[in-house]
């Protein structure tokens, strides 16, 4: 009987626990859940803590499965411009050396990144990003004089030439897909060909006070027809003017292009004796009224390595020759 009375009292308490009472009890927790912002770390640097560039980027989300921060639309967020970093920490020299060794190793086993797997590409991007954040040189665009060999690229190697930079610069950003498709078609059309040694020489121009000059040399081995044993070799040399507009930025204006070292009988000697230069800049001037100006940004340079990005954020890693 006593047990039955206790059960009745328990049931009675549950009955008087009306929905409003339950809401009152759980409301503080509910309110806290919706008013306390939940912070998610969307990106963290993997660099050792001794490096001064370690950052965390936080975003507030209204729900865990939201794709974008609350109260913002992805189209409303303006892209942030990247600026050059200068790292003066002596202890970071060891980190830089380790990153460079791993990057150059990946460059050698993937043929300048051309045959990198998706996992290797992710590692390469991470290594390049960390090195850029550990750049030891102030005003890197002023410290690039000399000869540089291309060892790694996130895009087609031929796009390191000012000739192709000018083509990209001539096309508005809204038509970027069109020119990218054109580059891809060019790449597939030359599958029977090989891009060999790629070198850039940067020097102060004798004719342009205060500006620099970029000479791009690309060794090309062209197959006349797939499977046909005859191949045409030569070096495509393109010259461009470099105008420094920021510590890391060059404006690149193409001037002329020529071919030397051809293995075609008679033509090779003729081209060496009478170099045929195509005034690409003048051609652009005549056709469109102005020469397209490309943009290059160097975010890392030291005594032996340089990392430069184009307008589409493709990066080119050069080793000093």
């Amino acid at each position: 009987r006593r047990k039955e009375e206790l059960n009745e009292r328990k049931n009675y308490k549950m009955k008087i626990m009306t929905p409003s009472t339950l809401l009152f009890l759980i409301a503080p927790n509910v309110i806290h859940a919706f008013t306390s912002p939940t912070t998610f770390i969307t990106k963290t640097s993997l660099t050792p803590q001794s490096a001064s560039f370690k950052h965390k980027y936080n975003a507030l989300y209204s729900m865990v499965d939201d794709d974008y921060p609350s109260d913002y639309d992805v189209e409303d967020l303006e892209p942030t411009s990247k600026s050059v970093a200068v790292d003066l920490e002596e202890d970071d020299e060891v980190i830089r050396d380790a990153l460079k060794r791993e990057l150059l190793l990946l460059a050698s086993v993937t043929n300048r990144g051309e045959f990198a797997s998706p996992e290797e590409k992710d590692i390469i991007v991470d290594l390049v990003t960390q090195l850029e954040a550990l750049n030891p040189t102030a005003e890197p665009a002023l410290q690039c004089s000399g000869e540089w060999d291309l060892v790694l690229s996130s895009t087609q190697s031929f796009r390191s030439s000012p000739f192709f930079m000018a083509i990209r610069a001539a096309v508005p950003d809204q038509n970027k897909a069109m020119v990218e498709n054109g580059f891809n078609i060019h790449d597939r059309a030359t599958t029977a060909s090989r891009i060999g040694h790629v070198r850039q020489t940067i020097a102060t121009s004798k004719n342009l006070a205060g500006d620099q000059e970029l000479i791009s040399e690309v060794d090309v081995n062209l197959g006349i027809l797939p499977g046909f044993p005859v191949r045409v070799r030569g070096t495509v040399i393109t010259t461009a003017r470099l105008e420094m507009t920021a510590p890391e930025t060059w404006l690149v204006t193409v001037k002329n292009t020529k071919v030397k070292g051809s293995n075609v009988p008679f033509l090779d000697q003729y081209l060496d004796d009478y170099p045929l230069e195509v005034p690409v800049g003048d051609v652009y001037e005549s056709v469109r009224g102005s020469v397209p100006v490309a943009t290059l940004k160097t975010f890392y340079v030291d005594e032996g390595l340089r990392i430069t990005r184009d307008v589409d954020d493709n990066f080119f890693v050069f080793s000093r020759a």
Side-chain angles (χ1 to χ4, degrees):
R1 179 66 181 173
R2 179 64 177 169
K3 185 176 182 180
E4 291 178 358
E5 290 178 355
L6 291 174
N7 287 335
E8 288 179 0
R9 290 181 181 180
K10 183 177 181 180
N11 293 334
Y12 175 75
K13 288 182 179 180
M14 293 298 297
K15 288 179 182 178
I16 66 172
M17 190 76 70
T18 62
S20 59
T21 307
L22 287 172
L23 180 61
F24 176 79
L25 291 175
I26 66 173
N29 294 327
V30 174
I31 294 172
H32 176 75
F34 281 91
T35 57
S36 298
T38 304
T39 302
F40 297 90
I41 298 176
T42 60
K43 181 179 180 181
T44 59
S45 172
L46 301 178
T47 310
Q49 293 185 1
S50 61
S52 59
F53 62 92
K54 185 175 182 182
H55 299 289
K56 291 183 180 180
Y57 301 93
N58 298 328
L60 300 180
Y61 291 80
S62 58
M63 298 296 288
V64 175
D65 56 352
D66 277 357
D67 291 330
Y68 303 109
S70 59
D71 301 327
Y72 287 95
D73 192 280
V74 66
E75 285 82 9
D76 296 334
L77 300 177
E78 296 182 359
T80 57
S81 59
K82 184 176 180 179
S83 59
V84 64
V86 181
D87 177 58
L88 302 178
E89 295 288 339
E90 294 183 2
D91 294 341
D92 290 343
E93 182 65 30
V94 177
I95 301 173
R96 275 193 292 269
D97 289 342
L99 294 173
K100 287 191 292 184
R101 283 196 298 271
E102 186 172 356
L103 184 64
L104 292 175
L105 176 62
L106 281 170
S108 64
V109 300
T110 61
N111 190 31
R112 292 188 296 218
E114 182 178 359
F115 303 120
S117 66
E119 293 78 12
E120 289 171 329
K121 289 180 180 179
D122 289 341
I123 295 173
I124 289 171
V125 169
D126 185 58
L127 292 171
V128 167
T129 303
Q130 293 189 56
L131 277 171
E132 289 176 327
L134 285 172
N135 166 56
T137 307
E139 296 188 325
L142 276 180
Q143 311 301 325
C144 297
S145 297
E147 297 181 341
W148 301 87
D149 293 332
L150 182 68
V151 296
L152 183 64
S153 173
S154 63
T155 186
Q156 298 99 333
S157 297
F158 61 79
R159 292 183 63 173
S160 65
S161 169
F163 180 85
F164 290 96
M165 294 181 198
I167 295 176
R168 171 63 184 93
V171 179
D173 287 344
Q174 57 266 32
N175 295 328
K176 174 185 173 183
M178 180 183 68
V179 72
E180 291 286 348
N181 187 50
F183 286 146
N184 291 333
I185 292 174
H186 172 77
D187 193 32
R188 288 193 294 268
T190 56
T191 52
S193 307
R194 290 196 299 270
I195 301 295
H197 188 207
V198 178
R199 172 170 290 185
Q200 288 186 349
T201 301
I202 300 172
T204 302
S205 175
K206 297 179 181 179
N207 301 324
L208 302 170
D211 288 337
Q212 295 174 299
E213 187 174 65
L214 170 64
I215 301 174
S216 169
E217 301 178 67
V218 181
D219 290 344
V220 182
N221 194 327
L222 301 174
I224 297 177
L225 289 173
F228 198 68
V230 178
R231 307 184 71 86
V232 176
R233 294 189 301 273
T235 301
V236 181
I237 303 174
T238 303
T239 303
R241 172 188 175 185
L242 297 179
E243 179 186 356
M244 181 178 170
T245 59
E248 76 286 352
T249 304
W250 289 317
L251 296 183
V252 185
T253 307
V254 66
K255 294 164 61 178
N256 54 66
T257 296
K258 63 182 180 180
V259 178
K260 77 170 186 178
S262 173
N263 67 330
V264 178
F266 305 109
L267 182 60
D268 57 343
Q269 187 62 46
Y270 178 82
L271 289 175
D272 289 341
D273 293 340
Y274 307 98
L276 177 62
E277 289 189 352
V278 179
V280 181
D282 293 341
V283 173
Y284 275 114
E285 190 79 39
S286 300
V287 173
R288 65 193 299 271
S290 63
V291 183
V293 179
T295 301
L296 284 179
K297 295 188 177 184
T298 298
F299 291 105
Y300 182 94
V301 66
D302 61 19
E303 67 282 354
L305 196 75
R306 171 166 65 93
I307 301 174
T308 300
R309 292 181 182 261
D310 66 10
V311 68
D312 296 317
D313 212 33
N314 300 310
F315 59 77
F316 304 94
V317 180
F318 291 88
S319 176
R320 191 178 292 275

